[in-house]
Amino acid sequence: MSAYRTIVVGTDGSATSFAAVDRAAAVAGDTGAELVIVCAYTPTGRDDTAEAEDVLKDEAFLVRGWTPAEETLRSAEDRALAAGAGRVRTVAADGPPVEVLRKAVADANADLLVVGNRGLNTLSGRLLGSVPSDAARRAGVDVLIVHTT
């Protein structure tokens, strides 16, 4: 089996998703692969952010649109570089996490998707499905599910 060339990992800014980023970065560093870190987001409307904007005043931009995703990606990129990844690219995309991950895998022509296991062992995850299980079923490439909890 040849080494992975392009690895996609998803993050939502949680500690468990950053654990998946760390593992993906280590694999990317070991194989010389490019690491694509992806964060899905849903644009927020004025009604959703009004209270936070009132509190934040001049820093209200931090809760609008894709800015939270971009901040998450900056943190994830720093972690990935520290964990050994040599080439890192980030993608913030509007949409449901599984669809965003699938599109990122296709767009990057990735050969490995890395996700954390959060949600796999919850009742709602077993009944309704979870991002890790849905992504694993639908990715179309090798999937590494990182034990993060």
Side-chain angles (χ1 to χ4, degrees):
M1 176 188 228
S2 63
Y4 294 113
R5 295 177 315 277
T6 306
I7 299 169
V8 169
V9 62
T11 184
D12 61 6
S14 65
T16 57
S17 73
F18 281 155
V21 169
D22 293 346
R23 179 67 56 86
V27 173
D30 288 347
T31 62
E34 176 184 32
L35 181 62
V36 180
I37 306 171
V38 180
C39 184
Y41 69 93
T42 302
T44 54
R46 176 79 173 115
D47 293 341
D48 298 328
T49 61
E51 186 176 331
E53 289 178 9
D54 288 343
V55 171
L56 292 171
K57 304 284 187 229
D58 291 339
E59 294 181 338
F61 68 92
L62 293 171
V63 295
R64 285 192 204 117
W66 53 265
T67 301
E70 289 293 327
E71 289 299 317
T72 294
L73 288 170
R74 272 192 275 284
S75 296
E77 181 177 17
D78 290 344
R79 289 181 71 103
L81 292 169
R87 294 178 293 141
V88 178
R89 184 165 39 108
T90 61
V91 175
D94 174 12
V98 173
E99 295 307 314
V100 167
L101 288 171
R102 288 182 68 213
K103 184 174 183 332
V105 165
D107 290 351
N109 196 27
D111 42 15
L112 178 65
L113 172 63
V114 179
V115 293
N117 69 337
R118 185 172 145 202
L120 283 177
N121 296 319
T122 63
L123 177 60
S124 63
R126 288 192 300 270
L127 294 175
L128 303 173
S130 65
V131 170
S133 64
D134 289 349
R137 277 196 308 273
R138 300 172 58 201
V141 296
D142 290 353
V143 177
L144 171 61
I145 299 177
V146 179
H147 182 72
T148 61
T149 54

